[in-house]
PDB file of all heavy atoms in Angstrom:
ATOM      1  N   ILE K  20     215.874  43.370  55.481  1.00 99.00           N
ATOM      2  CA  ILE K  20     214.913  42.286  55.600  1.00 99.00           C
ATOM      3  C   ILE K  20     213.684  42.611  54.786  1.00 99.00           C
ATOM      4  O   ILE K  20     212.978  43.594  55.119  1.00 99.00           O
ATOM      5  CB  ILE K  20     214.536  42.001  57.059  1.00 99.00           C
ATOM      6  CG1 ILE K  20     215.731  41.825  57.939  1.00 99.00           C
ATOM      7  CG2 ILE K  20     213.610  40.764  57.145  1.00 99.00           C
ATOM      8  CD1 ILE K  20     215.416  41.657  59.418  1.00 99.00           C
ATOM      9  N   GLY K  22     209.791  41.765  53.889  1.00 98.00           N
ATOM     10  CA  GLY K  22     208.777  41.169  54.762  1.00 98.00           C
ATOM     11  C   GLY K  22     209.110  41.426  56.218  1.00 98.00           C
ATOM     12  O   GLY K  22     208.767  40.603  57.076  1.00 98.00           O
ATOM     13  N   GLY K  23     209.780  42.513  56.503  1.00 98.00           N
ATOM     14  CA  GLY K  23     210.378  42.717  57.841  1.00 98.00           C
ATOM     15  C   GLY K  23     209.418  43.019  58.919  1.00 98.00           C
ATOM     16  O   GLY K  23     209.782  43.004  60.112  1.00 98.00           O
ATOM     17  N   ALA K  24     208.134  43.340  58.597  1.00 98.00           N
ATOM     18  CA  ALA K  24     207.167  43.597  59.661  1.00 98.00           C
ATOM     19  C   ALA K  24     206.326  42.377  59.969  1.00 98.00           C
ATOM     20  O   ALA K  24     205.446  42.416  60.828  1.00 98.00           O
ATOM     21  CB  ALA K  24     206.243  44.751  59.273  1.00 98.00           C
ATOM     22  N   GLY K  25     206.604  41.288  59.254  1.00 98.00           N
ATOM     23  CA  GLY K  25     205.858  40.035  59.471  1.00 98.00           C
ATOM     24  C   GLY K  25     206.359  39.254  60.664  1.00 98.00           C
ATOM     25  O   GLY K  25     207.206  39.696  61.410  1.00 98.00           O
ATOM     26  N   PHE K  26     205.862  38.038  60.794  1.00 98.00           N
ATOM     27  CA  PHE K  26     206.127  37.199  61.982  1.00 98.00           C
ATOM     28  C   PHE K  26     207.634  36.879  62.080  1.00 98.00           C
ATOM     29  O   PHE K  26     208.307  37.361  63.029  1.00 98.00           O
ATOM     30  CB  PHE K  26     205.303  35.915  61.867  1.00 98.00           C
ATOM     31  CG  PHE K  26     205.553  34.916  62.947  1.00 98.00           C
ATOM     32  CD1 PHE K  26     205.787  35.328  64.283  1.00 98.00           C
ATOM     33  CD2 PHE K  26     205.519  33.554  62.665  1.00 98.00           C
ATOM     34  CE1 PHE K  26     205.987  34.364  65.277  1.00 98.00           C
ATOM     35  CE2 PHE K  26     205.738  32.607  63.645  1.00 98.00           C
ATOM     36  CZ  PHE K  26     205.963  33.018  64.954  1.00 98.00           C
ATOM     37  N   LEU K  27     208.173  36.194  61.149  1.00 98.00           N
ATOM     38  CA  LEU K  27     209.603  35.841  61.199  1.00 98.00           C
ATOM     39  C   LEU K  27     210.468  37.039  60.984  1.00 98.00           C
ATOM     40  O   LEU K  27     211.453  37.243  61.717  1.00 98.00           O
ATOM     41  CB  LEU K  27     209.907  34.760  60.152  1.00 98.00           C
ATOM     42  CG  LEU K  27     211.381  34.305  60.102  1.00 98.00           C
ATOM     43  CD1 LEU K  27     211.863  33.779  61.445  1.00 98.00           C
ATOM     44  CD2 LEU K  27     211.544  33.234  59.017  1.00 98.00           C
ATOM     45  N   GLY K  28     210.156  37.867  60.018  1.00 98.00           N
ATOM     46  CA  GLY K  28     210.948  39.076  59.769  1.00 98.00           C
ATOM     47  C   GLY K  28     211.068  39.992  60.956  1.00 98.00           C
ATOM     48  O   GLY K  28     212.140  40.490  61.289  1.00 98.00           O
ATOM     49  N   GLY K  29     209.961  40.172  61.674  1.00 98.00           N
ATOM     50  CA  GLY K  29     209.956  41.024  62.853  1.00 98.00           C
ATOM     51  C   GLY K  29     210.809  40.465  63.978  1.00 98.00           C
ATOM     52  O   GLY K  29     211.557  41.203  64.659  1.00 98.00           O
ATOM     53  N   HIS K  30     210.740  39.155  64.192  1.00 98.00           N
ATOM     54  CA  HIS K  30     211.567  38.525  65.228  1.00 98.00           C
ATOM     55  C   HIS K  30     213.053  38.575  64.869  1.00 98.00           C
ATOM     56  O   HIS K  30     213.907  38.736  65.750  1.00 98.00           O
ATOM     57  CB  HIS K  30     211.104  37.098  65.493  1.00 98.00           C
ATOM     58  CG  HIS K  30     209.890  37.007  66.382  1.00 98.00           C
ATOM     59  ND1 HIS K  30     209.992  37.042  67.762  1.00 98.00           N
ATOM     60  CD2 HIS K  30     208.579  36.930  66.105  1.00 98.00           C
ATOM     61  CE1 HIS K  30     208.769  36.954  68.293  1.00 98.00           C
ATOM     62  NE2 HIS K  30     207.890  36.850  67.299  1.00 98.00           N
ATOM     63  N   LEU K  31     213.347  38.384  63.585  1.00 98.00           N
ATOM     64  CA  LEU K  31     214.752  38.492  63.153  1.00 98.00           C
ATOM     65  C   LEU K  31     215.273  39.910  63.374  1.00 98.00           C
ATOM     66  O   LEU K  31     216.374  40.113  63.861  1.00 98.00           O
ATOM     67  CB  LEU K  31     214.866  38.104  61.672  1.00 98.00           C
ATOM     68  CG  LEU K  31     214.821  36.632  61.334  1.00 98.00           C
ATOM     69  CD1 LEU K  31     214.642  36.430  59.852  1.00 98.00           C
ATOM     70  CD2 LEU K  31     216.080  35.928  61.822  1.00 98.00           C
ATOM     71  N   ALA K  32     214.443  40.906  63.020  1.00 98.00           N
ATOM     72  CA  ALA K  32     214.841  42.288  63.244  1.00 98.00           C
ATOM     73  C   ALA K  32     215.131  42.558  64.700  1.00 98.00           C
ATOM     74  O   ALA K  32     216.103  43.226  65.088  1.00 98.00           O
ATOM     75  CB  ALA K  32     213.743  43.236  62.692  1.00 98.00           C
ATOM     76  N   ASP K  33     214.253  42.057  65.572  1.00 98.00           N
ATOM     77  CA  ASP K  33     214.424  42.192  67.026  1.00 98.00           C
ATOM     78  C   ASP K  33     215.780  41.680  67.467  1.00 98.00           C
ATOM     79  O   ASP K  33     216.586  42.377  68.157  1.00 98.00           O
ATOM     80  CB  ASP K  33     213.294  41.409  67.714  1.00 98.00           C
ATOM     81  CG  ASP K  33     213.271  41.609  69.227  1.00 98.00           C
ATOM     82  OD1 ASP K  33     214.233  42.159  69.794  1.00 98.00           O
ATOM     83  OD2 ASP K  33     212.266  41.196  69.839  1.00 98.00           O
ATOM     84  N   SER K  34     216.119  40.456  67.040  1.00 98.00           N
ATOM     85  CA  SER K  34     217.402  39.857  67.431  1.00 98.00           C
ATOM     86  C   SER K  34     218.587  40.618  66.836  1.00 98.00           C
ATOM     87  O   SER K  34     219.584  40.856  67.516  1.00 98.00           O
ATOM     88  CB  SER K  34     217.427  38.410  66.950  1.00 98.00           C
ATOM     89  OG  SER K  34     218.610  37.752  67.376  1.00 98.00           O
ATOM     90  N   LEU K  35     218.487  41.057  65.628  1.00 98.00           N
ATOM     91  CA  LEU K  35     219.602  41.760  64.968  1.00 98.00           C
ATOM     92  C   LEU K  35     219.834  43.135  65.582  1.00 98.00           C
ATOM     93  O   LEU K  35     220.962  43.558  65.803  1.00 98.00           O
ATOM     94  CB  LEU K  35     219.317  41.903  63.441  1.00 98.00           C
ATOM     95  CG  LEU K  35     219.414  40.587  62.685  1.00 98.00           C
ATOM     96  CD1 LEU K  35     218.742  40.733  61.308  1.00 98.00           C
ATOM     97  CD2 LEU K  35     220.842  40.130  62.533  1.00 98.00           C
ATOM     98  N   LEU K  36     218.762  43.850  65.891  1.00 98.00           N
ATOM     99  CA  LEU K  36     218.885  45.164  66.538  1.00 98.00           C
ATOM    100  C   LEU K  36     219.470  45.016  67.928  1.00 98.00           C
ATOM    101  O   LEU K  36     220.312  45.798  68.340  1.00 98.00           O
ATOM    102  CB  LEU K  36     217.510  45.836  66.608  1.00 98.00           C
ATOM    103  CG  LEU K  36     216.919  46.325  65.313  1.00 98.00           C
ATOM    104  CD1 LEU K  36     215.470  46.674  65.479  1.00 98.00           C
ATOM    105  CD2 LEU K  36     217.700  47.556  64.778  1.00 98.00           C
ATOM    106  N   THR K  37     219.030  43.997  68.651  1.00 97.00           N
ATOM    107  CA  THR K  37     219.514  43.746  70.020  1.00 97.00           C
ATOM    108  C   THR K  37     220.992  43.424  70.043  1.00 97.00           C
ATOM    109  O   THR K  37     221.668  43.758  71.036  1.00 97.00           O
ATOM    110  CB  THR K  37     218.702  42.603  70.671  1.00 97.00           C
ATOM    111  OG1 THR K  37     217.329  42.924  70.675  1.00 97.00           O
ATOM    112  CG2 THR K  37     219.130  42.345  72.055  1.00 97.00           C
ATOM    113  N   LEU K  44     214.056  47.596  56.897  1.00 98.00           N
ATOM    114  CA  LEU K  44     212.882  46.774  56.665  1.00 98.00           C
ATOM    115  C   LEU K  44     212.121  47.208  55.441  1.00 98.00           C
ATOM    116  O   LEU K  44     211.915  48.404  55.236  1.00 98.00           O
ATOM    117  CB  LEU K  44     211.939  46.806  57.852  1.00 98.00           C
ATOM    118  CG  LEU K  44     212.499  46.409  59.234  1.00 98.00           C
ATOM    119  CD1 LEU K  44     211.395  46.468  60.286  1.00 98.00           C
ATOM    120  CD2 LEU K  44     213.093  45.017  59.196  1.00 98.00           C
ATOM    121  N   THR K  61     204.271  45.876  65.582  1.00 98.00           N
ATOM    122  CA  THR K  61     205.602  45.298  65.539  1.00 98.00           C
ATOM    123  C   THR K  61     206.625  46.356  65.189  1.00 98.00           C
ATOM    124  O   THR K  61     207.711  46.416  65.802  1.00 98.00           O
ATOM    125  CB  THR K  61     205.671  44.154  64.523  1.00 98.00           C
ATOM    126  OG1 THR K  61     204.839  43.084  64.957  1.00 98.00           O
ATOM    127  CG2 THR K  61     207.103  43.680  64.331  1.00 98.00           C
ATOM    128  N   TYR K  64     207.256  48.520  68.234  1.00 98.00           N
ATOM    129  CA  TYR K  64     208.060  47.745  69.163  1.00 98.00           C
ATOM    130  C   TYR K  64     209.533  47.723  68.735  1.00 98.00           C
ATOM    131  O   TYR K  64     210.458  47.936  69.565  1.00 98.00           O
ATOM    132  CB  TYR K  64     207.523  46.315  69.256  1.00 98.00           C
ATOM    133  CG  TYR K  64     208.425  45.349  69.946  1.00 98.00           C
ATOM    134  CD1 TYR K  64     208.554  45.334  71.335  1.00 98.00           C
ATOM    135  CD2 TYR K  64     209.175  44.418  69.209  1.00 98.00           C
ATOM    136  CE1 TYR K  64     209.401  44.434  71.981  1.00 98.00           C
ATOM    137  CE2 TYR K  64     210.012  43.550  69.854  1.00 98.00           C
ATOM    138  CZ  TYR K  64     210.117  43.534  71.226  1.00 98.00           C
ATOM    139  OH  TYR K  64     210.967  42.659  71.844  1.00 98.00           O
ATOM    140  N   LEU K  65     209.774  47.494  67.436  1.00 98.00           N
ATOM    141  CA  LEU K  65     211.166  47.444  66.919  1.00 98.00           C
ATOM    142  C   LEU K  65     211.844  48.785  67.047  1.00 98.00           C
ATOM    143  O   LEU K  65     213.063  48.825  67.276  1.00 98.00           O
ATOM    144  CB  LEU K  65     211.142  46.955  65.487  1.00 98.00           C
ATOM    145  CG  LEU K  65     210.774  45.501  65.263  1.00 98.00           C
ATOM    146  CD1 LEU K  65     210.671  45.195  63.771  1.00 98.00           C
ATOM    147  CD2 LEU K  65     211.730  44.501  65.928  1.00 98.00           C
ATOM    148  N   ILE K  68     213.215  48.958  70.433  1.00 98.00           N
ATOM    149  CA  ILE K  68     214.352  48.092  70.541  1.00 98.00           C
ATOM    150  C   ILE K  68     215.601  48.787  69.962  1.00 98.00           C
ATOM    151  O   ILE K  68     216.707  48.741  70.524  1.00 98.00           O
ATOM    152  CB  ILE K  68     214.128  46.755  69.853  1.00 98.00           C
ATOM    153  CG1 ILE K  68     212.997  45.967  70.524  1.00 98.00           C
ATOM    154  CG2 ILE K  68     215.407  45.915  69.784  1.00 98.00           C
ATOM    155  CD1 ILE K  68     213.324  45.520  71.948  1.00 98.00           C
ATOM    156  N   ILE K 205     206.297  27.512  61.686  1.00 98.00           N
ATOM    157  CA  ILE K 205     206.799  28.248  62.834  1.00 98.00           C
ATOM    158  C   ILE K 205     205.620  28.802  63.624  1.00 98.00           C
ATOM    159  O   ILE K 205     204.606  29.209  63.082  1.00 98.00           O
ATOM    160  CB  ILE K 205     207.701  29.410  62.381  1.00 98.00           C
ATOM    161  CG1 ILE K 205     208.789  28.909  61.411  1.00 98.00           C
ATOM    162  CG2 ILE K 205     208.376  30.083  63.577  1.00 98.00           C
ATOM    163  CD1 ILE K 205     209.559  30.051  60.770  1.00 98.00           C
ATOM    164  N   TYR K 206     205.765  28.788  64.949  1.00 98.00           N
ATOM    165  CA  TYR K 206     204.728  29.358  65.860  1.00 98.00           C
ATOM    166  C   TYR K 206     205.413  30.101  66.989  1.00 98.00           C
ATOM    167  O   TYR K 206     206.653  29.985  67.178  1.00 98.00           O
ATOM    168  CB  TYR K 206     203.849  28.229  66.405  1.00 98.00           C
ATOM    169  CG  TYR K 206     204.559  27.354  67.427  1.00 98.00           C
ATOM    170  CD1 TYR K 206     204.305  27.528  68.788  1.00 98.00           C
ATOM    171  CD2 TYR K 206     205.494  26.419  67.019  1.00 98.00           C
ATOM    172  CE1 TYR K 206     204.988  26.745  69.715  1.00 98.00           C
ATOM    173  CE2 TYR K 206     206.172  25.628  67.939  1.00 98.00           C
ATOM    174  CZ  TYR K 206     205.912  25.791  69.308  1.00 98.00           C
ATOM    175  OH  TYR K 206     206.598  25.023  70.220  1.00 98.00           O
ATOM    176  N   GLY K 207     204.662  30.866  67.726  1.00 98.00           N
ATOM    177  CA  GLY K 207     205.182  31.603  68.865  1.00 98.00           C
ATOM    178  C   GLY K 207     204.502  32.955  69.014  1.00 98.00           C
ATOM    179  O   GLY K 207     203.543  33.259  68.276  1.00 98.00           O
ATOM    180  N   PRO K 208     204.952  33.795  69.955  1.00 98.00           N
ATOM    181  CA  PRO K 208     204.390  35.125  70.091  1.00 98.00           C
ATOM    182  C   PRO K 208     204.415  35.924  68.784  1.00 98.00           C
ATOM    183  O   PRO K 208     205.368  35.841  68.012  1.00 98.00           O
ATOM    184  CB  PRO K 208     205.324  35.762  71.136  1.00 98.00           C
ATOM    185  CG  PRO K 208     205.818  34.600  71.967  1.00 98.00           C
ATOM    186  CD  PRO K 208     205.994  33.475  70.995  1.00 98.00           C
ATOM    187  N   ARG K 209     203.365  36.657  68.508  1.00 97.00           N
ATOM    188  CA  ARG K 209     203.138  37.409  67.285  1.00 97.00           C
ATOM    189  C   ARG K 209     202.968  36.484  66.069  1.00 97.00           C
ATOM    190  O   ARG K 209     203.295  36.848  64.940  1.00 97.00           O
ATOM    191  CB  ARG K 209     204.251  38.456  67.053  1.00 97.00           C
ATOM    192  CG  ARG K 209     204.476  39.425  68.189  1.00 97.00           C
ATOM    193  CD  ARG K 209     205.133  40.703  67.765  1.00 97.00           C
ATOM    194  NE  ARG K 209     206.426  40.564  67.137  1.00 97.00           N
ATOM    195  CZ  ARG K 209     207.601  40.528  67.786  1.00 97.00           C
ATOM    196  NH1 ARG K 209     207.610  40.612  69.122  1.00 97.00           N
ATOM    197  NH2 ARG K 209     208.713  40.398  67.121  1.00 97.00           N
ATOM    198  N   CYS K 210     202.497  35.275  66.315  1.00 98.00           N
ATOM    199  CA  CYS K 210     202.350  34.246  65.274  1.00 98.00           C
ATOM    200  C   CYS K 210     201.418  34.707  64.155  1.00 98.00           C
ATOM    201  O   CYS K 210     200.481  35.493  64.384  1.00 98.00           O
ATOM    202  CB  CYS K 210     201.793  32.980  65.938  1.00 98.00           C
ATOM    203  SG  CYS K 210     201.738  31.530  64.877  1.00 98.00           S
ATOM    204  N   ARG K 211     201.718  34.206  62.973  1.00 98.00           N
ATOM    205  CA  ARG K 211     200.779  34.392  61.843  1.00 98.00           C
ATOM    206  C   ARG K 211     199.379  33.858  62.215  1.00 98.00           C
ATOM    207  O   ARG K 211     199.252  32.812  62.792  1.00 98.00           O
ATOM    208  CB  ARG K 211     201.283  33.643  60.612  1.00 98.00           C
ATOM    209  CG  ARG K 211     202.419  34.279  59.878  1.00 98.00           C
ATOM    210  CD  ARG K 211     203.012  33.344  58.844  1.00 98.00           C
ATOM    211  NE  ARG K 211     202.068  32.533  58.101  1.00 98.00           N
ATOM    212  CZ  ARG K 211     202.379  31.619  57.212  1.00 98.00           C
ATOM    213  NH1 ARG K 211     203.669  31.407  56.917  1.00 98.00           N
ATOM    214  NH2 ARG K 211     201.478  30.957  56.566  1.00 98.00           N
ATOM    215  N   PHE K 243     209.479  26.427  67.163  1.00 98.00           N
ATOM    216  CA  PHE K 243     209.220  27.633  67.921  1.00 98.00           C
ATOM    217  C   PHE K 243     210.073  28.789  67.374  1.00 98.00           C
ATOM    218  O   PHE K 243     211.177  28.618  66.917  1.00 98.00           O
ATOM    219  CB  PHE K 243     209.552  27.420  69.415  1.00 98.00           C
ATOM    220  CG  PHE K 243     209.105  28.530  70.306  1.00 98.00           C
ATOM    221  CD1 PHE K 243     207.767  28.797  70.459  1.00 98.00           C
ATOM    222  CD2 PHE K 243     210.003  29.327  71.011  1.00 98.00           C
ATOM    223  CE1 PHE K 243     207.335  29.848  71.299  1.00 98.00           C
ATOM    224  CE2 PHE K 243     209.612  30.350  71.824  1.00 98.00           C
ATOM    225  CZ  PHE K 243     208.263  30.615  71.967  1.00 98.00           C
ATOM    226  N   ILE K 244     209.511  29.983  67.437  1.00 98.00           N
ATOM    227  CA  ILE K 244     210.102  31.142  66.778  1.00 98.00           C
ATOM    228  C   ILE K 244     211.547  31.445  67.251  1.00 98.00           C
ATOM    229  O   ILE K 244     212.400  31.788  66.458  1.00 98.00           O
ATOM    230  CB  ILE K 244     209.220  32.397  66.926  1.00 98.00           C
ATOM    231  CG1 ILE K 244     209.761  33.587  66.152  1.00 98.00           C
ATOM    232  CG2 ILE K 244     209.007  32.747  68.413  1.00 98.00           C
ATOM    233  CD1 ILE K 244     209.831  33.426  64.677  1.00 98.00           C
ATOM    234  N   SER K 245     211.810  31.285  68.548  1.00 98.00           N
ATOM    235  CA  SER K 245     213.177  31.596  69.019  1.00 98.00           C
ATOM    236  C   SER K 245     214.190  30.630  68.448  1.00 98.00           C
ATOM    237  O   SER K 245     215.343  30.987  68.196  1.00 98.00           O
ATOM    238  CB  SER K 245     213.241  31.602  70.556  1.00 98.00           C
ATOM    239  OG  SER K 245     212.965  30.297  71.089  1.00 98.00           O
ATOM    240  N   ALA K 247     213.852  29.187  65.483  1.00 98.00           N
ATOM    241  CA  ALA K 247     214.000  29.567  64.064  1.00 98.00           C
ATOM    242  C   ALA K 247     214.954  30.728  63.939  1.00 98.00           C
ATOM    243  O   ALA K 247     215.870  30.730  63.088  1.00 98.00           O
ATOM    244  CB  ALA K 247     212.610  29.956  63.484  1.00 98.00           C
ATOM    245  N   VAL K 248     214.790  31.745  64.782  1.00 98.00           N
ATOM    246  CA  VAL K 248     215.685  32.884  64.750  1.00 98.00           C
ATOM    247  C   VAL K 248     217.115  32.504  65.069  1.00 98.00           C
ATOM    248  O   VAL K 248     218.070  32.951  64.416  1.00 98.00           O
ATOM    249  CB  VAL K 248     215.177  34.018  65.715  1.00 98.00           C
ATOM    250  CG1 VAL K 248     216.200  35.130  65.879  1.00 98.00           C
ATOM    251  CG2 VAL K 248     213.880  34.585  65.183  1.00 98.00           C
ATOM    252  N   ASP K 249     217.274  31.705  66.092  1.00 98.00           N
ATOM    253  CA  ASP K 249     218.624  31.265  66.500  1.00 98.00           C
ATOM    254  C   ASP K 249     219.325  30.556  65.331  1.00 98.00           C
ATOM    255  O   ASP K 249     220.501  30.792  65.074  1.00 98.00           O
ATOM    256  CB  ASP K 249     218.523  30.331  67.708  1.00 98.00           C
ATOM    257  CG  ASP K 249     219.880  29.869  68.199  1.00 98.00           C
ATOM    258  OD1 ASP K 249     220.741  30.745  68.437  1.00 98.00           O
ATOM    259  OD2 ASP K 249     220.083  28.642  68.361  1.00 98.00           O
ATOM    260  N   ILE K 251     218.770  30.903  62.089  1.00 98.00           N
ATOM    261  CA  ILE K 251     219.133  31.841  61.016  1.00 98.00           C
ATOM    262  C   ILE K 251     220.286  32.754  61.396  1.00 98.00           C
ATOM    263  O   ILE K 251     221.155  33.037  60.610  1.00 98.00           O
ATOM    264  CB  ILE K 251     217.904  32.660  60.608  1.00 98.00           C
ATOM    265  CG1 ILE K 251     216.830  31.748  59.997  1.00 98.00           C
ATOM    266  CG2 ILE K 251     218.245  33.789  59.640  1.00 98.00           C
ATOM    267  CD1 ILE K 251     215.450  32.346  59.869  1.00 98.00           C
ATOM    268  N   MET K 252     220.316  33.174  62.667  1.00 98.00           N
ATOM    269  CA  MET K 252     221.468  33.970  63.131  1.00 98.00           C
ATOM    270  C   MET K 252     222.779  33.188  63.023  1.00 98.00           C
ATOM    271  O   MET K 252     223.798  33.747  62.554  1.00 98.00           O
ATOM    272  CB  MET K 252     221.232  34.387  64.603  1.00 98.00           C
ATOM    273  CG  MET K 252     220.071  35.326  64.798  1.00 98.00           C
ATOM    274  SD  MET K 252     220.363  37.021  64.203  1.00 98.00           S
ATOM    275  CE  MET K 252     221.425  37.661  65.525  1.00 98.00           C
ATOM    276  N   PHE K 334     201.370  34.700  75.924  1.00 98.00           N
ATOM    277  CA  PHE K 334     201.511  35.947  75.173  1.00 98.00           C
ATOM    278  C   PHE K 334     200.150  36.359  74.591  1.00 98.00           C
ATOM    279  O   PHE K 334     199.724  37.525  74.713  1.00 98.00           O
ATOM    280  CB  PHE K 334     202.520  35.802  74.042  1.00 98.00           C
ATOM    281  CG  PHE K 334     202.673  37.011  73.157  1.00 98.00           C
ATOM    282  CD1 PHE K 334     203.543  38.048  73.514  1.00 98.00           C
ATOM    283  CD2 PHE K 334     201.904  37.139  71.998  1.00 98.00           C
ATOM    284  CE1 PHE K 334     203.653  39.194  72.678  1.00 98.00           C
ATOM    285  CE2 PHE K 334     202.019  38.264  71.185  1.00 98.00           C
ATOM    286  CZ  PHE K 334     202.894  39.285  71.530  1.00 98.00           C
TER     287      PHE K 334
END
Side-chain angles (χ1 to χ4, degrees):
I20 307 174
F26 176 37
L27 179 57
H30 279 276
L31 283 168
D33 186 349
S34 183
L35 290 164
L36 290 166
T37 301
L44 303 180
T61 294
Y64 166 77
L65 292 174
I68 295 295
I205 309 171
Y206 71 103
R209 305 203 301 272
C210 187
R211 283 168 41 182
F243 190 64
I244 185 63
S245 65
V248 170
D249 182 52
I251 294 166
M252 293 288 283
F334 177 87

